[in-house]
Amino acid sequence: MKTNTINPSSSSSLPYDKIHNNARNHKNFTKSYKNGVPPILLWFLGLTSCFSLFLLYSTNPFHFSSQQHIQQQQQKEERQFPPITTRPHPIKQQSGDDKCDLFKGKWVPDLNGSQYTANSCTTIPESKNCFKNGRIDIDFVNWRWKPEGCELPRFDPHTFLKIVGGKKLAFVGDSVARNHMESLLCLLSQAEVPMDVHKDSEDRFRTWHFPSSNFTLMIFWSKFLVKSEERMVNNSGTGSFNLHFDKIDEKWASKLPGLDYVIVSTAHWFFRKNYLYEQGKLIGCVYCDEPNTPELGLNYALRMSIRSALKYINNCKGCKKNMVTLIRTFSPAHFENGAWDTGGGCNRTSPHGEEKGKEIEMEKRFELELRELQIEELERARIEDKGEEKRKLRVLDITRAMLMRPDGHPGEFWGNKWMKGYNDCVHWCLPGPVDAWSDFLLAVLQKEVGL
Ligand SMILES: *[C@@H]1O[C@H](CO)[C@@H](O)[C@H](O)[C@H]1NC(C)=O
Ligand SMILES: *[C@@H]1O[C@H](CO)[C@@H](O)[C@H](O)[C@H]1NC(C)=O
Ligand SMILES: *[C@@H]1O[C@H](CO)[C@@H](O)[C@H](O)[C@H]1NC(C)=O
Ligand SMILES: *[C@@H]1O[C@H](CO)[C@@H](O)[C@H](O)[C@H]1NC(C)=O
C-alpha cells in the first residue's frame, strides 16, 4: 500500500470549532436531529473516522494510507430503505434472570483491577500498550460492568476454554475487531499460552491455537464485510471505496466452514466517501456531493453491508449447523475539544457517571442509532432465515457500555512518538474496558451451552 505523511494544516480551514460547539448544544442538536442526521455531526464523525483510517486501521499504525480529507457533507435525506415488516423485539441476553439485560447497566468500582499486565500478556501490541507508553493514571482498569438487575461475572479463562475446547472461533472485521481479539488473547493467555500458528504477509489474517484445550482463535480482516475495492486515480489510492452490497467479501466468507463461533463487526470504514453498488450498478454514495449520484447516507451503507453478511451466513452451505454468529455493535470513539487532527483528545481518567449517562444518550444519538440498526438487521436476519436449521444469531451489544468509557482509549499514549500531537480515541487500551467485551462474550456463550 502506498503511504505518505499527512499534512495537518491541509485541513485547517475546516470549521472544527463550529462543529464542536454545535454538537455540544443539545437543543440545536436534538432539533436538527429530528429532520435527519445533522450535517454538522456527520462532519464530525467523518473527521473522527479520518483519524482512524489514517492511523490505525493499518496493521502498521506507523504508516498512513494516502487519503484525502472528507469533503463537506451536504445535508441530504437518507434514502428510505425497505422498512422491516416486523418490529424488532429488543434483543436481550439473560443471565439466569429473564428480566436482566446484560448490556444495560453502569460501571462500578472494582479494585481487583485488570486480569493481566504487559508482563503476563506478551502479545499486547505497542499501539495499545498504554502503561508502557507513559500512561500513569491506573484507575481506568478498576471498574467492572454492573448490569441492571443482575451480575456480569468477570472473565474466567478456564471456564471459557472449557466451553470452546476443540472449537474454532473467528473475529471478522476491522482493527476494532482486532482490538477485541487481542484483549481475548491476553485474558486467555493467563490460563494457557497460545501458539502463534499462522499469519499472512500483511498480518490481516491470523490464527492462534491453545494446545491443551485444542481451541483455535482466528481473525479475518474485512473493512466492509461486502466486496470492495479502492478507487484509484493515477495509480494511487483515493481513500474512497466501491462497495458491492450483492457480493460478499470472500476473503472471510470462504473461511466460515469449520467455524463454531463467528463474531462479526464493522462500522468505522463507512465514515468516508464511498460509492455504493448493486448488481454492478452505481446506486449512490456516502459523504459525497456529486451530480446524478444520490447521497444515501452512512446508515444505509452500514445497514446494507450487515444485511448482506447475515444473509450470506443464513444461506451458508458449508457452515456448521450449530455455528453461532454474534454481531458486535458499534464501538464509539471519544474525541473531545476537536477532531483527531485539530488537537482533539480523550484525556479523561474515569468513566462517565450515571447522571452524565442521560446526557450522553442525547449527545450520542447518532452512535446509538448505528447500534440500533445493527440490532435491527440481526432481527431481520432471524425473521428471514428460512433454512431448515435456524442459524444462531446473537448480539454483543457493547455500545451503551462503551459510550461511558472515554477514559479507555490510548489517547496520546499509543506509542508512536513521531505522531506526537495526535490522539487515538478510537481503539482501546490493553488492559482496559475493552476486556469487558469478553465478559459479555463468555456470558453469551455460557447461555448458549446452558452452563
Ligand atoms: C474482587 O473480586 C472478587 C471475586 O470476583 C469479588 O468478590 C470482590 O468483591 C472484588 N473486590 C473488589 C474490591 O471489588
Ligand atoms: C482439535 O479440534 C479440531 C477442531 O477444531 C478437530 O478437528 C481435531 O480433531 C481436534 N484435535 C484433537 C487432538 O482433539
Ligand atoms: C492524473 O495525471 C494527469 C497527468 O499527469 C494529470 O493531468 C491529472 O491532473 C491527474 N489527475 C489527478 C486527479 O490527480
Ligand atoms: C485534557 O485536554 C484538555 C483539552 O482537550 C485540556 O484543556 C486539559 O488541560 C487536559 N487535562 C489534562 C489533565 O491533561
Side-chain angles (χ1 to χ4, degrees):
M1 188 188 287
K2 213 161 175 242
T3 61
N4 62 17
T5 53
I6 21 173
N7 173 6
S9 63
S10 67
S11 60
S12 56
S13 59
L14 303 177
Y16 299 105
D17 290 338
K18 195 159 168 257
I19 291 161
H20 183 68
N21 292 337
N22 273 281
R24 276 219 302 222
N25 184 329
H26 304 163
K27 273 201 181 127
N28 283 354
F29 178 86
T30 44
K31 200 165 139 233
S32 54
Y33 185 81
K34 284 195 187 116
N35 305 323
V37 177
I40 288 295
L41 186 55
L42 282 179
W43 240 109
F44 179 74
L45 291 165
L47 293 166
T48 299
S49 70
C50 240
F51 162 84
S52 359
L53 64 94
F54 272 120
L55 303 191
L56 293 143
Y57 286 111
S58 149
T59 45
N60 179 354
F62 296 81
H63 288 170
F64 303 123
S65 50
S66 69
Q67 304 292 351
Q68 90 295 3
H69 287 280
I70 290 170
Q71 301 300 304
Q72 179 147 17
Q73 170 73 19
Q74 304 292 316
Q75 182 170 30
K76 286 182 181 153
E77 289 298 309
E78 253 189 55
R79 191 172 86 165
Q80 282 297 112
F81 48 81
I84 48 177
T85 46
T86 312
R87 268 313 292 162
H89 310 287
I91 295 175
K92 291 190 175 176
Q93 299 290 344
Q94 300 97 19
S95 90
D97 177 356
D98 268 11
K99 285 195 267 319
C100 181
D101 178 353
L102 278 186
F103 305 108
K104 191 158 187 278
K106 60 180 178 186
W107 293 92
V108 297
D110 178 355
L111 297 179
N112 287 324
S114 65
Q115 289 167 277
Y116 60 90
T117 65
N119 285 331
S120 67
C121 176
T122 55
T123 50
I124 300 179
E126 188 75 359
S127 58
K128 290 146 201 150
N129 198 338
C130 300
F131 291 131
K132 185 181 166 208
N133 289 302
R135 186 159 177 173
I136 51 172
D137 65 294
I138 56 161
D139 281 350
F140 76 99
V141 300
N142 292 330
W143 300 89
R144 69 180 170 85
W145 180 250
K146 170 72 179 76
E148 262 170 34
C150 60
E151 293 292 324
L152 176 65
R154 299 308 295 266
F155 189 83
D156 176 41
H158 300 283
T159 307
F160 189 90
L161 287 171
K162 202 181 285 169
I163 293 175
V164 299
K167 301 222 159 89
K168 291 182 175 161
L169 180 152
F171 288 91
V172 180
D174 57 28
S175 63
V176 181
R178 191 185 174 96
N179 205 168
H180 185 189
M181 188 275 286
E182 288 157 348
S183 158
L184 180 59
L185 197 60
C186 280
L187 290 165
L188 291 177
S189 68
Q190 305 309 297
E192 186 183 348
V193 178
M195 282 169 53
D196 188 352
V197 185
H198 167 78
K199 89 176 169 191
D200 71 328
S201 60
E202 289 185 302
D203 196 10
R204 302 285 196 191
F205 292 79
R206 191 132 192 199
T207 304
W208 300 86
H209 187 243
F210 293 77
S212 67
S213 47
N214 189 21
F215 167 54
T216 306
L217 177 60
M218 288 179 269
I219 179 109
F220 307 148
W221 172 264
S222 185
K223 300 188 285 286
F224 300 105
L225 304 179
V226 294
K227 184 173 182 283
S228 67
E229 69 266 337
E230 190 171 5
R231 287 207 164 189
M232 307 298 284
V233 170
N234 286 349
N235 272 331
S236 63
T238 59
S240 289
F241 291 79
N242 298 330
L243 313 189
H244 302 272
F245 294 136
D246 54 327
K247 298 194 182 86
I248 202 74
D249 176 358
E250 289 290 341
K251 284 194 177 144
W252 68 270
S254 63
K255 294 185 171 60
L256 288 182
L259 293 183
D260 300 281
Y261 303 101
V262 54
I263 303 172
V264 179
S265 58
T266 187
H268 288 273
W269 285 76
F270 289 84
F271 292 74
R272 58 168 66 203
K273 191 196 273 186
N274 284 326
Y275 295 85
L276 315 180
Y277 289 81
E278 249 163 36
Q279 316 288 339
K281 261 185 56 197
L282 182 65
I283 57 163
C285 52
V286 180
Y287 291 113
C288 59
D289 181 21
E290 299 186 13
N292 310 321
T293 312
E295 161 72 48
L296 295 181
L298 177 157
N299 294 28
Y300 178 83
L302 180 61
R303 184 185 286 278
M304 295 316 278
S305 116
I306 290 173
R307 188 174 295 178
S308 293
L310 289 175
K311 191 171 170 194
Y312 183 89
I313 287 169
N314 269 348
N315 297 315
C316 172
K317 293 282 179 284
C319 288
K320 281 191 165 182
K321 247 172 37 187
N322 291 323
M323 183 175 80
V324 179
T325 301
L326 297 102
I327 291 287
R328 197 261 297 142
T329 62
F330 182 58
S331 169
H334 288 96
F335 287 96
E336 289 186 79
N337 300 317
W340 71 272
D341 62 345
T342 56
C346 42
N347 60 2
R348 290 178 190 266
T349 54
S350 56
H352 290 311
E354 261 173 303
E355 323 75 63
K356 181 77 179 161
K358 299 274 171 280
E359 214 176 295
I360 297 285
E361 298 233 337
M362 294 299 282
E363 253 182 51
K364 302 285 187 176
R365 284 291 296 276
F366 188 75
E367 281 89 335
L368 289 168
E369 200 174 83
L370 298 186
R371 163 191 173 264
E372 274 152 30
L373 77 82
Q374 292 172 326
I375 294 176
E376 279 170 16
E377 286 307 314
L378 192 77
E379 194 57 29
R380 167 193 267 270
R382 281 183 178 165
I383 293 163
E384 292 189 344
D385 184 1
K386 301 284 192 286
E388 279 168 33
E389 296 289 335
K390 286 269 185 197
R391 286 270 171 236
K392 294 178 174 170
L393 305 178
R394 306 288 180 257
V395 66
L396 269 190
D397 183 9
I398 55 95
T399 309
R400 287 170 297 177
M402 300 317 274
L403 278 173
M404 310 300 282
R405 295 309 302 269
D407 56 332
H409 299 284
E412 61 180 309
F413 302 112
W414 63 286
N416 180 356
K417 300 310 173 201
W418 76 263
M419 273 302 290
K420 214 163 162 38
Y422 295 90
N423 294 306
D424 179 359
C425 305
V426 173
H427 298 95
W428 304 93
C429 292
L430 298 177
V434 67
D435 296 324
W437 298 8
S438 296
D439 298 348
F440 289 127
L441 175 62
L442 176 54
V444 172
L445 297 192
Q446 269 177 314
K447 181 160 181 280
E448 212 52 60
V449 298
L451 270 180

